[in-house]
Amino acid sequence: MSFACCVPVVECVYCLACVRWVWKKFLYTAGRESENWGLATASEFEPVPRFCRYIIAVYEDDIRNPIWTPPGGYGIDPDWVILKKSHEDTQGIVSPYLIYVDHQNADIVVAIRGLNLAKESDFLVLLDDKLGQAEFDGGYVHNGLLKAAEWVWEAESQILRELVERYPDYTLTFAGHSLGAGVVTILTMLTVKNREKLGFLDRKRIRCFAIAPARCVSLNLAVRYADIINSIVLQDDFLPRTTVALENAFKSLFCFPCLMCIMCLKDTFTMEEKMLKDPRRLYAPGRLYHIIVRKPFSFANIRPIVRTAIPVDGRFEHIVLSCNMTSDHAINRILTESQRTIDLMLERHQSTESMNIPVQQRMERQASIAKEHKAALQRAVALDVPQAYSPSAYGTFPT
């Protein structure tokens, strides 16, 4: 009898929690988390459309006879492609990728494509994310993505060494989208940890552009590697905000109300301090670039802007309820909006040249982002984030 009396009370508490969660979600709009961030400069954001094109080029079976060419082309000289591997070549361990020497921009590029919905192997990589299985450099990383990154490193480290020694003035850039973004994130960290295998390559010559990445690294790694890893997120993109384990999310497709119930209770009753101190909670990596192209509750595009920061607390913690939350994840959409954004940036600078920004101005920006990185590390320490310390001096942008 006493138990039966408690049932209505439990139902009321649950309903109130659900109402509070729904209210929070509908008030939460894209741009809110980045509204206090600074604006990115054209020199920082300029490579993004180019790397989007390289990633899309991986989808082609024959780059010399392309089928999916985006507006403006790929910007790739087929003679400069060192190698290109398919699902068959990688045995499904990692998504297809290519290695390209971009002589025009003095860059050695490793580009990895995103999830193929028709390939079960890609899903197996993404779903292998059991917490606590994969420790790395004092933090935690996505287990399946770590295995994929280790496979690429073992397969291609010798080729990369030959290239960085042959072109000592070139940067080494890793770029990927979605699933590939997670792989290149961890591959970048592996490269930094094993620089002696690349002839002790200077850390400042290494950089990563993770386009629409999955949450794949613990918070301490996300902040510590923000000097070389850059995450690009278009407006409402759901994947960098998906906090629930991907394995559970896919299993819950057959019981969506169950997933909503779990997320409702989790968002309502989990304290932010507890989330920050959980060393196994995964986050979007590195410095974040948030492309804003629409006003809240609006379908119309606006003049886009790019906000950037190295946040510690509030690092894309909430999914935005939006009809664009999946379309904003598509690589073609990101290419279109990032190209539109950089064109407007150049227009504002009254220049259509290739980023001929004065050296003094670049040095000032370099000093500014170095201070941001130091401040983020200090913030992480103040919030008791485990293993939050600075690995080295900041610096991947040219001076």
Side-chain angles (χ1 to χ4, degrees):
M1 182 68 179
S2 59
F3 175 78
C5 292
C6 292
V7 172
V9 176
V10 173
E11 288 180 347
C12 289
V13 172
Y14 176 76
C15 289
L16 287 172
C18 289
V19 169
R20 180 176 182 269
W21 180 83
V22 172
W23 179 252
K24 283 171 59 181
K25 286 300 178 188
F26 276 105
L27 286 180
Y28 192 86
T29 57
R32 178 177 170 183
E33 63 265 89
S34 63
E35 60 187 352
N36 295 320
W37 297 3
L39 294 177
T41 63
S43 59
E44 292 171 70
F45 195 73
E46 178 270 337
V48 174
R50 173 159 48 92
F51 292 129
C52 286
R53 295 177 190 277
Y54 295 168
I55 293 166
I56 298 174
V58 183
Y59 287 76
E60 297 284 0
D61 292 328
D62 183 359
I63 296 178
R64 295 182 184 276
N65 300 288
I67 300 174
W68 317 107
T69 309
Y74 291 120
I76 283 182
D77 185 333
D79 294 330
W80 296 348
V81 176
I82 303 301
L83 62 84
K84 184 175 180 294
K85 291 195 174 179
S86 64
H87 273 105
E88 289 70 27
D89 297 325
T90 66
Q91 301 173 351
I93 298 173
V94 65
S95 300
Y97 62 89
L98 62 78
I99 297 179
Y100 176 66
V101 179
D102 185 353
H103 294 292
Q104 187 174 356
N105 295 285
D107 204 1
I108 301 165
V109 181
V110 180
I112 304 182
R113 58 162 283 180
L115 177 74
N116 185 340
L117 295 175
K119 293 290 183 179
E120 182 184 0
S121 58
D122 282 6
F123 283 101
L124 293 177
V125 172
L126 196 61
L127 300 184
D128 183 11
D129 64 341
K130 294 179 181 178
L131 296 179
Q133 276 197 353
E135 295 185 46
F136 183 86
D137 195 18
Y140 289 87
V141 296
H142 187 289
N143 193 53
L145 297 177
L146 174 61
K147 292 177 183 177
E150 288 176 336
W151 190 94
V152 177
W153 174 253
E154 290 297 324
E156 313 301 351
S157 58
Q158 183 58 40
I159 292 177
L160 293 178
R161 175 168 184 151
E162 292 173 2
L163 290 174
V164 298
E165 289 179 346
R166 188 184 309 167
Y167 306 107
D169 297 326
Y170 285 23
T171 53
L172 174 60
T173 302
F174 299 94
H177 169 250
S178 189
L179 176 67
V183 176
V184 296
T185 292
I186 301 176
L187 181 58
T188 301
M189 296 192 295
L190 279 171
T191 302
V192 171
K193 294 293 291 182
N194 296 277
R195 286 182 297 137
E196 69 281 358
K197 294 185 178 181
L198 299 182
F200 293 96
L201 178 67
D202 190 346
R203 181 185 176 107
K204 293 183 179 181
R205 288 178 59 193
I206 304 170
R207 61 180 180 173
C208 171
F209 285 85
I211 314 294
R215 296 167 72 96
C216 57
V217 296
S218 56
L219 186 55
N220 61 334
L221 296 177
V223 177
R224 280 165 44 201
Y225 282 88
D227 59 327
I228 57 177
I229 298 175
N230 309 283
S231 288
I232 315 300
V233 179
L234 176 60
Q235 189 105 6
D236 301 337
D237 189 355
F238 75 98
L239 191 60
R241 298 178 168 92
T242 304
T243 56
V244 69
L246 293 171
E247 180 180 12
N248 296 333
F250 278 92
K251 286 180 178 178
S252 298
L253 289 177
F254 299 101
C255 185
F256 191 70
C258 298
L259 177 62
M260 293 295 290
C261 173
I262 293 171
M263 292 180 66
C264 169
L265 294 174
K266 190 175 181 180
D267 276 8
T268 304
F269 294 109
T270 303
M271 301 296 291
E272 187 174 15
E273 291 80 5
K274 184 178 180 181
M275 292 189 293
L276 289 170
K277 292 180 181 179
D278 182 359
R280 297 180 300 176
R281 186 179 178 85
L282 302 183
Y283 293 83
R287 169 178 284 275
L288 300 179
Y289 289 87
H290 194 196
I291 309 172
I292 305 297
V293 296
R294 293 180 303 275
K295 291 182 178 179
F297 308 111
S298 172
F299 293 99
N301 285 351
I302 60 174
R303 288 177 67 89
I305 60 171
V306 182
R307 299 190 184 118
T308 182
I310 309 173
V312 180
D313 39 350
R315 178 179 277 261
F316 287 146
E317 287 290 356
H318 302 282
I319 292 178
V320 177
L321 295 180
S322 163
C323 59
N324 299 293
M325 60 189 294
T326 55
S327 61
D328 282 347
H329 183 68
I331 184 65
N332 287 318
R333 180 70 175 274
I334 297 171
L335 169 60
T336 299
E337 296 297 348
S338 62
Q339 187 63 63
R340 189 166 72 99
T341 302
I342 193 63
D343 288 343
L344 287 171
M345 283 181 169
L346 292 172
E347 187 180 300
R348 293 188 194 107
H349 283 85
Q350 297 180 346
S351 171
T352 56
E353 298 178 353
S354 58
M355 313 313 300
N356 291 324
I357 297 174
V359 172
Q360 182 62 32
Q361 197 172 344
R362 288 188 179 184
M363 293 178 65
E364 289 174 357
R365 179 55 183 161
Q366 179 75 15
S368 174
I369 57 180
K371 288 180 181 177
E372 287 183 51
H373 191 214
K374 183 177 180 180
L377 289 164
Q378 292 172 342
R379 175 65 174 162
V381 171
L383 292 171
D384 294 329
V385 175
Q387 294 290 322
Y389 60 85
S390 177
S392 69
Y394 191 104
T396 59
F397 293 101
T399 57

